[in-house]
Amino acid sequence: MSTNEQLQPTIFAIFGGSGDLTWRKLVPSLFDLFQDVNMPPYFSIIALDRIDLTDIELRRRYRDGIEKFSRKGKISDEDWSGFSRHIYYKKGDFTKQEIYTVLKDQCTLLENEWKEKAQIIFYMATPPVMFGVIPGHLKEAGMTGNHERSRIVIEKPIGYDLDSALKLNKALTASFRESQIFRIDHYLGKETVQNILAFRFANPFFEPVWNRRYVDYVTITVAEDLGVEHRGEYYDKAGALRDMVQNHLMQLLCLVAMEPMISFQADEIRNKKVDVLHAMRPITREMIHKSAVRGQYGSGRPGGKEVSGYRGESGVSTGSFTETFAALKLYVDNWRWQDVPFYLRTGKRLPRQVSEITIQFRAVPHQSFPPEAIPDWQSSSLIISIQPNEGIVLCFQAKQPGTRLLLKPVNLKFNYQESFSTPIPDAYETLLWDVMTNDATLFMRADQVEAAWNILMPVIEEWSLNKPHDFPNYQAGTWGPASADTLFDPGHHWPVPAYLIDKDLK
Ligand code: BG6
């Protein structure tokens, strides 16, 4: 297998190396990068964890994960041996200094063998309680001081609320510079999410209409058909607002609403995104009931299969008030977006996994067609379909062929799979590549994370003080509680998902 000669020798030190994230996402993505000749000639994966495992056992487990989750699927022994020889396991307690000494020694050993200095990427694939612990030990071991060559990657949750996020950021910056900290939001690694910038700023025709003059409202839906699966214990303490809105949905909103960047520099783009968060209208306590709706799924029969309600899921308390659905109405108070509502919704056990952004345009200023010509009139809209079928659909009016004047809504679509033959990489592949090449564009800076928490804190506080009376309030397999519709201004509604209006996107 050839490798990418341009890349520096790299060591991935994965804390939580025997865990689910590493097995399901990190190692399969590293393997795919390796297959695509996107790994350096010298690299190593050092998995660190508490349990007893030999290198051989760990490798076997990783192979299983790769075969299940990598793009390649089943792999040959030859491909496997080329990759697996880079993997090592080290057992230890992350609260004790010994494991860091072991790690440091292993890194030195590898560097001596390679006869080159390596960049070291510390990946926090651990429970969040460790996020504030590991960086201090790494500093004590003298492993954080090389600002060019050492980096730390941290996954959400970045805090549980604004206070804890501030504390965590403080703990991280006590050991690493901000430029060394890569906070992952895996949504930003998704191809279509990155493409929002390309659509908006690489084409001249979107930008002139991308403002309050032409846009009536924006909706962002991130729906999941699954329940909480095996993550009930974590989820019951988090809920939809913390788990999805604070990070993924806020990031999507920023990409839709941000001003054009001057250059494609990480900080320039991140500055423009943080400007959006700073411009968001605060949700006052008095306005919460008009700005936020929560829901929790009860049992149901999605697709004819009986599933239990949230309160019956393993790890979830039987009287839980945790929301599995959240909808918000937000405003960005600036010249571009003043008074344009942004409606966000996300939930578990909805009818289908679908993530979409819809830009709903205003009606034409003067309707010149006779009423009989426009029986199905709909204002134009642009749907950005993030998953599962990456693409864009522009919905507009056209004349139906015939002697009579009759207008019908039609769709113009761009579909990733049809237009490009190259496979779409997993979000983690993109993000791991970016960490290796020290490109922080798609990662969240401390101020972004804090600003996103700041917006949601009034809702989080209100919801924790006032328990809902109607939970569970939506049936598994439906689009959430009916009360989500109360957020809408007259004439606004959740859009019909692209897969329902365009057969090819099914
Ligand atoms: C994670 C959440 O960040 O994103 C999960 O913790 C959620 O609860 C997942 O299921 C959704 O990601 P994706 O890529 O499947 O849309």
Side-chain angles (χ1 to χ4, degrees):
M1 173 65 51
S2 52
T3 46
N4 190 325
E5 306 290 329
Q6 319 262 303
L7 293 171
Q8 287 188 50
T10 303
I11 297 170
F12 281 93
I14 307 181
F15 291 88
S18 74
D20 196 61
L21 175 69
T22 313
W23 174 66
R24 191 183 286 270
K25 287 288 179 193
L26 306 184
V27 173
S29 297
L30 288 170
F31 179 78
D32 280 331
L33 285 169
F34 182 69
Q35 286 287 310
D36 289 351
V37 196
N38 280 328
M39 288 299 277
Y42 295 120
F43 79 92
S44 178
I45 299 168
I46 307 176
L48 305 129
D49 224 323
R50 298 175 72 108
I51 61 170
D52 283 319
L53 269 182
T54 61
D55 285 352
I56 292 175
E57 285 165 337
L58 179 82
R59 288 173 185 169
R60 203 175 298 136
R61 184 172 155 71
Y62 282 176
R63 180 170 184 169
D64 171 62
I66 288 168
E67 296 197 331
K68 283 197 173 82
F69 304 112
S70 76
R71 277 193 278 121
K72 179 100 175 161
K74 204 96 190 119
I75 52 177
S76 67
D77 287 347
E78 194 193 342
D79 282 348
W80 174 238
S81 72
F83 182 73
S84 66
R85 63 193 175 83
H86 298 271
I87 300 169
Y88 304 92
Y89 182 69
K90 300 288 168 202
K91 182 192 163 190
D93 178 346
F94 301 155
T95 64
K96 307 267 161 52
Q97 201 55 36
E98 288 92 285
I99 182 73
Y100 302 90
T101 312
V102 170
L103 173 62
K104 194 174 180 183
D105 290 348
Q106 178 70 20
C107 293
T108 311
L109 205 75
L110 287 164
E111 287 180 332
N112 290 343
E113 192 183 301
W114 298 341
K115 299 190 179 48
E116 271 192 72
K117 286 278 175 212
Q119 54 177 0
I120 309 182
I121 295 164
F122 305 107
Y123 203 111
M124 305 290 102
T126 63
V129 287
M130 285 294 134
F131 293 173
V133 175
I134 295 170
H137 285 288
L138 288 169
K139 185 177 182 187
E140 203 179 319
M143 299 186 81
T144 64
N146 190 325
H147 307 135
E148 293 305 316
R149 270 209 229 102
S150 67
R151 254 154 261 159
I152 185 162
V153 184
I154 163 166
E155 287 266 335
K156 76 174 220 328
I158 317 265
Y160 180 76
D161 53 17
L162 179 58
D163 266 3
S164 52
L166 286 164
K167 281 194 191 109
L168 175 57
N169 284 335
K170 207 165 159 206
L172 287 168
T173 45
S175 303
F176 289 90
R177 287 190 180 172
E178 181 59 35
S179 61
Q180 294 172 278
I181 305 170
F182 284 64
R183 296 178 192 78
I184 280 199
D185 183 316
H186 80 275
Y187 259 67
L188 295 179
K190 290 183 192 276
E191 203 62 43
T192 342
V193 172
Q194 294 171 61
N195 203 31
I196 297 172
L197 291 182
F199 268 116
R200 285 194 56 198
F201 303 130
N203 300 294
F205 42 82
F206 288 122
E207 213 35 34
V209 296
W210 210 263
N211 55 53
R212 64 190 305 275
R213 186 156 178 217
Y214 294 97
V215 175
D216 190 8
Y217 62 102
V218 176
T219 63
I220 302 179
T221 295
V222 177
E224 295 183 88
D225 52 351
L226 294 177
V228 289
E229 306 300 293
H230 55 284
R231 295 165 71 233
E233 213 173 310
Y234 148 77
Y235 194 89
D236 210 30
K237 292 191 196 80
L241 216 50
R242 290 183 170 91
D243 186 50
M244 296 293 286
V245 180
Q246 189 272 343
N247 34 74
H248 308 325
L249 278 88
M250 284 294 185
Q251 290 298 319
L252 295 179
L253 192 158
C254 286
L255 289 167
V256 172
M258 68 184 257
E259 294 302 315
M261 63 272 176
I262 292 161
S263 66
F264 215 81
Q265 299 299 313
D267 268 331
E268 166 61 8
I269 293 175
R270 299 195 295 179
N271 288 344
K272 291 290 189 286
K273 283 165 66 182
V274 97
D275 283 348
V276 174
L277 296 171
H278 288 157
M280 277 166 93
R281 189 177 300 172
I283 308 174
T284 58
R285 275 280 162 83
E286 304 70 56
M287 285 303 289
I288 285 177
H289 65 288
K290 290 194 173 158
S291 310
V293 165
R294 58 186 151 167
Q296 188 192 78
Y297 63 84
S299 58
R301 290 182 61 79
K305 191 175 150 250
E306 184 76 38
V307 299
S308 74
Y310 175 69
R311 290 175 176 179
E313 302 274 17
S314 116
V316 170
S317 100
T318 47
S320 173
F321 290 115
T322 300
E323 80 284 355
T324 59
F325 175 97
L328 293 176
K329 180 189 197 176
L330 299 170
Y331 290 95
V332 180
D333 284 340
N334 62 15
W335 276 51
R336 185 188 284 267
W337 295 116
Q338 191 67 41
D339 293 333
V340 174
F342 285 75
Y343 302 104
L344 276 52
R345 68 172 166 173
T346 182
K348 300 226 180 251
R349 283 271 185 249
L350 301 186
R352 177 184 162 112
Q353 191 210 23
V354 53
S355 299
E356 285 182 2
I357 300 169
T358 300
I359 314 295
Q360 183 65 53
F361 293 99
R362 290 187 188 283
V364 287
H366 169 66
Q367 186 56 272
S368 34
F369 296 96
E372 60 276 16
I374 49 169
D376 304 324
W377 181 268
Q378 285 168 18
S379 297
S380 307
S381 60
L382 177 75
I383 304 173
I384 303 172
S385 173
I386 292 163
Q387 60 186 23
N389 298 98
E390 297 84 353
I392 286 208
V393 185
L394 184 61
C395 312
F396 56 100
Q397 301 286 322
K399 181 186 171 296
Q400 185 167 298
T403 47
R404 282 170 53 227
L405 177 64
L406 188 58
L407 304 192
K408 286 274 175 198
V410 290
N411 308 310
L412 188 68
K413 74 168 168 50
F414 153 74
N415 182 318
Y416 250 77
Q417 252 127 35
E418 276 172 17
S419 303
F420 298 106
S421 55
T422 40
I424 297 179
D426 184 86
Y428 276 89
E429 272 176 72
T430 306
L431 295 169
L432 288 166
W433 166 263
D434 286 354
V435 179
M436 269 197 294
T437 53
N438 204 8
D439 178 355
T441 311
L442 300 178
F443 296 81
M444 293 180 298
R445 233 172 30 194
D447 55 343
Q448 282 182 305
V449 175
E450 290 159 14
W453 277 119
N454 196 35
I455 292 157
L456 294 181
M457 279 324 291
V459 184
I460 290 178
E461 280 161 9
E462 177 69 16
W463 284 3
S464 77
L465 284 175
N466 291 309
K467 303 291 177 222
H469 301 297
D470 58 348
F471 274 13
N473 60 357
Y474 71 98
Q475 220 185 336
T478 63
W479 284 105
S483 48
D485 292 356
T486 60
L487 298 177
F488 287 125
D489 287 351
H492 295 178
H493 53 84
W494 297 116
V496 177
Y499 72 91
L500 287 179
I501 57 172
D502 191 316
K503 285 191 268 334
D504 293 342
L505 287 175
K506 269 193 180 155

